[in-house]
Amino acid sequence: MNIDECLPHMRDVVTCEASLRDISLMWRLIEGTARMTCPDGTQGLLSMLAATREGFESLERDLIASFARQKVGNLMVEAGTPARHAIDALVRNLFERTADIGFLATDRALREFLAGTGMDAAQASERLRAYRAKYTVYDAIVLLDAEGRVMAATGAAEGVARCDDALVARSLEADGYVETFGPTALQRDGSPALVYSQRMLHPRTGQPAGVLCLVFAFATEMEGIFASRHVRDGRSNLVLLDAGDRIIASAEPDWMPAGLKVPVNAGEEVTLRIWCGRKYLVQTFAAEGFQGYAGPPGWKAQTMVPLDLAFDTSVAGVLEGLEESVVDGLLAHSSRFCPPLHDIIVAADAVRRVVWNGQVMAPAQRRDERALRTVLEQITDNGSRSDALFSRSIRELADTALAARLSSARFTSQWLVELLDRNLYERANDCRWWALTPELAAALAAGNDRLAADEAARVLKHINALYTVYTRLVVYDRQGRIIAASHAVDARGTSMIGQRIEADTLAAVMALTDQQRYHVTPLRPSPLYEGRPTWVYHAAIRENGEGPVLGGIGIVFDTTPQLEAMLHGALAGQDEASRAAFIDREGRILCTTDPELASLERLQDLPPELLKLPRGQGAARIMVRDGQYIVLGVSASPGYREFKLCDGYDDQVLAVTLQPLGPVQEGRAARRRPQAVPATRRTDASGGVEYATFCLGEEVFAVRADQVVEAQPASQVHRLPAVGNTHRVGMLALRRDGLVLRHVSVFDLDALLGGPGTDLAAGGQVVVLRADNFELGLLVSDLHGVWSFSAEQSQHAPWTGDMLPPLVTQLLTADEGRQLIQVLDVQRLREWLSGRPAVRRLEAPERPQLLAVG
């Protein structure tokens, strides 16, 4: 996609671009002025200006392009992720329908009715009504004879006389189910319907006796899917498309009604499409499929966002709620959550470093010349403007990138709990319907009749083969003794037959008041699941469906692989280090993708308010946990249809996602936060001394500018093991024109000053110092500037009470006394590192020598 087409609609990016161009123009003017007016001997300064201008222009292009791409990416996380989840939610739902039609088409009572024996039409309709009362996802259930006449019906099809001939013909010819979408006579208003149909065979001859039709509540289901995923702000739309790219369901039907053909995006990458004279950002998702079922052929979900409204949003404000030390630590790991941001930070550091080095390298003996002094003033001013703009832009880009991560975490956790509730809704339906199976009631009524128990086991095996999410199905009598099972022997060779259901479960099942009630065991170890934790769904089996309780059916949800599949599926395409878990309201871990978390009883350190999220609500935040910066997403169980909402069952589950962004950065040097530029300028050379300043966390330090060789990025340091207590972190090569001239040792200034020290991975800068006969490098947070200070701004540092010679011997005041800058004594630093007292200074040799420590 051409990002340039999006730029005019991104007001904040356009503003940033204008500011960058203004500053870039100023660098060009400064460079031109310097070439015309500066005296001889300033070639190094001119080279620095050229490098600064080139680096700034390159950074300008990269920053704007990255800003635009990140904003598009953030938008499509917010608008595109719901579309991906929408089609997957629908397909998982429809997979259950394929199992339903396969099972109900073998119902003996209904087959006998179509064969002309057994129950009458009223009783058949009542049986269908009982089924629909449990499986509320159907608008209608219909029994047709081989000619397409309606023999029994419930729901929206009541009163309908005939079905479509084509649907009946296809169903009678097919061995399995037939999936049909379109207008049908089974909907009295003629609206399109999604119908699952399958032929029913004569119980004795095995010939087709009729057709069973399940009319899925498609419109209601799509309303629910849209309601949980689509924000009706007029800024985007979510649509479901058929194989011909026509809308069959729309979150905003007044905007994009069903029946219209829209342009699609063949790949999942966002692209621009023109439709009805307007440009749209379009992202299209086909279903990933579930258990080998891909959904109706060609169906897909699509998000469509008008380009002119796409970026009309406020700034995310993610970083505003974080401590500055956390912000700095996150920026140090920007390559994890936004690689372009990392490149921009590196490039911005390079520009700052070039400016700083140029200020240091300007020939001190010529600084009294007016033209040079004016150019240096301009460099300082424009460098400050550049630095401020870089800092603001980097934070805004980081804010946008992290907002996308937070949105993704929230969406993923919401999808997980919704997926779980949708799945378990089906389990609550299954146990109640299967409890009405005549063969199961007959086996319980027959007492110890082995033939009846075998027939019950055959039925259970047939059901279990259709519904593969169960480990086993069992039938037990009033005493809780299991008389039949779909898998009678477990993996350990133990037979289920004759074992007894837990006493509390049996009591709950025997107390169920009608066929609409069910009981679920808490998630706990069960002998029906080889002693592992699971949910077992139970319903009472009654004489003739309505009479006294004869026993019950228990269906054992294959909890471990099913929950793990949900968790791993939701994390597909995310960082490999991402983790997810289902927990309860107390933080107890029910299932997780992380073996380390699995070994824990509870998920520790979760904010208490997240454990108390209202039903169906989600949240995401950035926090520090286990020494890592992580993006945390948490959502509470929403329920589905009547399940967990008004059916008497309420088992609250939370989904948690954890996405690590990198280890916490310790030490002052990790906090790369440049301080405000002091209101001190290069003044007349007659009254001031120039100092190069740099930052260590929130503190500003300085050394005399003539003691500075240059600054280089900390990434150029060759790591070495520390020797003794010298706090040496490595070696740095000093180069000129690509050639290595010599090496210097690099020391951690934070550690030298008594801090915890800093890992080189935290980034930073190395300031190379020279005094008398040695050179060394100091690892610091960031560079600051080069300033001239008068004698009135300088004072001796007060004695601290430390017996060791202090490294800070002088203090500078700036910004009318509001800022205090600590001046390092470079000679004392050298003598302290070499273990010699600060008593005399050696004559400088002709060439600086490497300070060897250890």
Side-chain angles (χ1 to χ4, degrees):
M1 185 182 70
N2 186 1
I3 293 295
D4 290 342
E5 293 188 67
C6 298
L7 281 176
H9 304 281
M10 302 176 179
R11 286 178 292 182
D12 51 347
V13 179
V14 170
T15 301
C16 178
E17 184 178 30
S19 299
L20 285 167
R21 286 178 178 171
D22 287 346
I23 295 177
S24 179
L25 177 60
M26 183 58 67
W27 281 121
R28 284 183 172 274
L29 291 173
I30 294 171
E31 182 185 0
T33 301
R35 291 188 183 281
M36 290 186 293
T37 63
C38 285
D40 296 336
T42 58
Q43 187 60 42
L45 178 63
L46 295 176
S47 298
M48 180 275 293
L49 282 170
T52 301
R53 189 244 320 147
E54 292 169 0
F56 193 94
E57 290 172 351
S58 175
L59 181 57
E60 175 189 351
R61 293 190 298 270
D62 293 344
L63 181 59
I64 294 304
S66 297
F67 242 138
R69 290 192 183 93
Q70 190 62 54
K71 289 180 78 69
V72 171
N74 194 22
L75 171 71
M76 299 322 290
V77 166
E78 295 182 357
T81 303
R84 183 193 298 272
H85 291 169
I87 189 64
D88 286 340
L90 179 63
V91 167
R92 283 173 173 267
N93 192 320
L94 299 185
F95 167 76
E96 299 284 350
R97 313 295 62 93
T98 66
D100 288 351
I101 190 69
F103 168 70
L104 194 55
T106 63
D107 186 274
R108 189 184 72 182
L110 298 180
R111 289 167 61 201
E112 289 179 346
F113 165 69
L114 286 177
T117 61
M119 64 179 67
D120 58 23
Q123 291 171 321
S125 294
E126 184 57 35
R127 185 163 180 79
L128 297 181
R129 194 171 293 112
Y131 185 87
R132 182 168 173 264
K134 297 165 182 61
Y135 294 84
T136 57
V137 295
Y138 296 114
D139 279 339
I141 304 175
V142 186
L143 283 176
L144 310 171
D145 66 10
E147 304 300 322
R149 291 184 292 266
V150 175
M151 305 302 292
T154 183
E158 293 183 31
V160 174
R162 289 187 62 85
C163 186
D164 314 272
D165 292 340
L167 185 150
V168 174
R170 287 197 307 272
S171 302
L172 290 173
E173 292 172 1
D175 290 333
Y177 71 87
V178 174
E179 194 174 48
T180 306
F181 181 77
T184 174
L186 297 179
Q187 292 276 74
R188 283 179 292 183
D189 61 1
S191 60
L194 181 58
V195 180
Y196 288 84
S197 58
Q198 185 164 329
R199 68 187 183 186
M200 300 186 75
L201 304 180
H202 195 287
R204 287 176 293 279
T205 67
Q207 296 300 308
V211 175
L212 170 68
C213 296
L214 302 180
V215 183
F216 180 61
F218 176 73
T220 304
E221 176 65 12
M222 292 311 301
E223 286 176 5
I225 288 176
F226 291 146
S228 64
R229 290 169 177 79
H230 178 67
V231 178
R232 296 183 180 276
D233 58 0
R235 198 166 63 94
S236 66
N237 195 18
L238 176 59
V239 294
L240 182 70
L241 307 177
D242 63 13
D245 301 336
R246 293 192 178 275
I247 297 175
I248 51 179
S250 173
E252 302 272 6
D254 293 337
W255 180 7
M256 299 179 186
L260 294 179
K261 187 171 183 177
V262 295
V264 298
N265 179 7
E268 288 193 359
E269 294 297 324
V270 63
T271 190
L272 276 173
R273 293 286 188 266
I274 298 177
W275 182 64
C276 294
R278 198 177 191 185
K279 287 184 179 180
Y280 286 83
L281 288 163
V282 176
Q283 199 168 20
T284 310
F285 299 93
E288 292 191 6
F290 181 68
Q291 302 280 330
Y293 172 72
W299 281 23
K300 49 210 172 262
Q302 179 166 293
T303 185
M304 300 182 67
V305 187
L307 181 58
D308 55 315
L309 300 177
F311 307 102
D312 190 17
T313 56
S314 59
V315 178
V318 175
L319 298 183
E320 293 178 3
L322 301 176
E323 295 180 3
E324 286 301 319
S325 60
V326 174
V327 173
D328 292 324
L330 288 171
L331 291 177
H333 296 296
S334 56
S335 59
R336 290 285 299 273
F337 63 88
C338 184
L341 174 61
H342 172 74
D343 296 340
I344 288 166
I345 291 174
V346 171
D349 281 348
V351 172
R352 293 190 189 106
R353 191 166 50 252
V354 169
V355 174
W356 195 86
N357 282 336
Q359 294 170 327
V360 167
M361 294 175 185
Q365 71 275 16
R366 308 295 296 272
R367 284 180 178 166
D368 58 337
E369 299 192 19
R370 184 183 301 275
L372 178 59
R373 196 164 63 246
T374 300
V375 168
L376 292 176
E377 288 282 0
Q378 292 174 337
I379 291 173
T380 299
D381 289 345
N382 213 44
S384 299
R385 290 179 62 200
S386 301
D387 185 53
L389 183 58
F390 288 153
S391 298
R392 185 174 70 249
S393 300
I394 286 170
R395 284 178 70 91
E396 289 176 359
L397 183 54
D399 203 62
T400 303
L402 289 171
R405 290 289 179 124
L406 289 169
S407 295
S408 178
R410 187 176 69 255
F411 288 143
T412 300
S413 62
Q414 288 176 333
W415 168 232
L416 276 170
V417 284
E418 181 180 342
L419 188 62
L420 179 64
D421 279 356
R422 283 171 166 267
N423 193 307
L424 299 183
Y425 159 84
E426 304 289 347
R427 314 298 61 98
N429 297 342
D430 290 347
C431 71
R432 291 179 292 163
W433 177 251
W434 297 338
L436 300 180
T437 305
E439 292 89 342
L440 304 185
L444 289 172
N448 294 323
D449 187 332
R450 191 66 257 164
L451 290 178
D454 289 345
E455 176 62 14
R458 183 195 66 78
V459 171
L460 295 178
K461 289 177 183 178
H462 171 68
I463 297 172
N464 210 162
L466 291 172
Y467 296 82
T468 56
V469 297
Y470 299 110
T471 298
R472 60 176 45 86
L473 285 63
V474 298
V475 170
Y476 48 90
D477 60 20
R478 289 190 183 96
Q479 288 72 46
R481 184 177 64 89
I482 297 174
I483 67 164
S486 60
H487 298 288
V489 179
D490 67 15
R492 298 174 294 189
T494 303
S495 175
M496 299 290 105
I497 307 303
Q499 293 198 36
R500 295 184 181 274
I501 299 297
E502 301 98 326
D504 60 335
T505 299
L506 180 63
V509 173
M510 297 301 291
L512 295 174
T513 56
D514 56 58
Q515 59 177 246
Q516 284 297 102
R517 304 294 175 182
Y518 65 95
H519 171 72
V520 188
T521 63
L523 188 67
R524 66 187 183 189
S526 171
L528 299 177
Y529 197 53
E530 283 80 52
R532 294 171 293 165
T534 187
W535 288 294
V536 182
Y537 285 72
H538 294 264
I541 298 176
R542 301 171 184 275
E543 187 176 331
N544 296 323
E546 296 288 351
V549 176
L550 300 174
I553 182 173
I555 60 177
V556 185
F557 185 54
D558 196 5
T559 303
T560 301
Q562 293 298 321
L563 296 190
E564 288 180 350
M566 294 179 201
L567 294 172
H568 284 291
L571 295 180
Q574 297 191 21
D575 192 304
E576 292 183 359
S578 296
R579 298 163 289 165
F582 287 118
I583 64 173
D584 65 14
R585 288 287 190 181
E586 303 302 318
R588 287 187 290 265
I589 297 172
L590 309 181
C591 184
T592 179
T593 60
D594 184 6
E596 291 186 11
L597 288 181
S599 65
L600 304 175
E601 180 181 353
R602 296 174 184 270
L603 190 60
Q604 304 292 339
D605 303 326
L606 278 183
E609 65 271 17
L610 295 185
L611 291 173
K612 299 176 182 178
L613 281 172
R615 182 192 300 277
Q617 296 298 307
R621 63 180 58 178
I622 294 171
M623 61 182 295
V624 175
R625 186 178 183 277
D626 295 334
Q628 293 269 338
Y629 302 112
I630 65 166
V631 178
L632 172 72
V634 182
S635 291
S637 176
Y640 177 65
R641 292 183 177 266
E642 70 280 359
F643 180 66
K644 292 187 179 180
L645 296 175
C646 59
D647 64 350
Y649 176 57
D650 186 22
D651 181 23
Q652 291 291 303
V653 175
L654 303 176
V656 177
T657 62
L658 303 102
Q659 187 179 86
L661 298 178
V664 172
Q665 300 295 314
E666 300 291 350
R668 285 176 293 183
R671 299 193 294 274
R672 305 177 65 234
R673 181 68 44 195
Q675 300 300 296
V677 177
T680 309
R681 309 176 69 84
R682 279 192 166 107
T683 56
D684 292 337
S686 59
V689 177
E690 294 203 335
Y691 290 87
T693 59
F694 46 86
C695 302
L696 186 63
E698 298 177 355
E699 299 176 80
V700 181
F701 289 82
V703 294
R704 290 205 325 268
D706 59 2
Q707 294 179 313
V708 177
V709 178
E710 64 177 337
Q712 288 197 27
S715 59
Q716 297 298 313
V717 175
H718 178 67
R719 297 170 187 249
L720 292 175
V723 179
N725 62 349
T726 63
H727 306 300
R728 184 177 67 170
V729 295
M731 303 287 288
L732 178 69
L734 300 184
R735 293 178 170 85
R736 286 294 179 272
D737 300 323
L739 299 177
V740 176
L741 302 180
R742 56 192 181 277
H743 290 80
V744 296
S745 293
V746 178
F747 300 87
D748 186 345
L749 180 58
D750 185 42
L752 290 173
L753 296 176
T758 305
D759 191 324
L760 277 173
Q765 308 284 345
V766 176
V767 177
V768 180
L769 305 177
R770 172 191 297 161
D772 293 343
N773 65 336
F774 72 96
E775 290 178 337
L776 61 84
L778 290 180
L779 175 63
V780 302
S781 302
D782 217 336
L783 304 174
H784 194 280
V786 178
W787 313 94
S788 178
F789 292 87
S790 64
E792 290 76 16
Q793 293 175 286
S794 175
Q795 58 180 288
H796 289 291
W799 181 59
T800 62
D802 196 333
M803 296 301 294
L804 295 175
L807 300 182
V808 176
T809 58
Q810 184 182 358
L811 299 176
L812 302 173
T813 58
D815 199 11
E816 298 180 351
R818 287 188 290 269
Q819 191 166 18
L820 200 63
I821 300 174
Q822 304 172 70
V823 180
L824 292 175
D825 188 313
V826 177
Q827 187 64 33
R828 284 194 177 185
L829 175 62
R830 183 258 182 180
E831 291 163 347
W832 186 85
L833 289 172
S834 61
R836 291 187 293 230
V839 293
R840 65 186 181 88
R841 299 179 185 274
L842 300 178
E843 294 296 328
E846 293 182 2
R847 179 181 176 184
Q849 297 177 347
L850 172 66
L851 173 65
V853 180

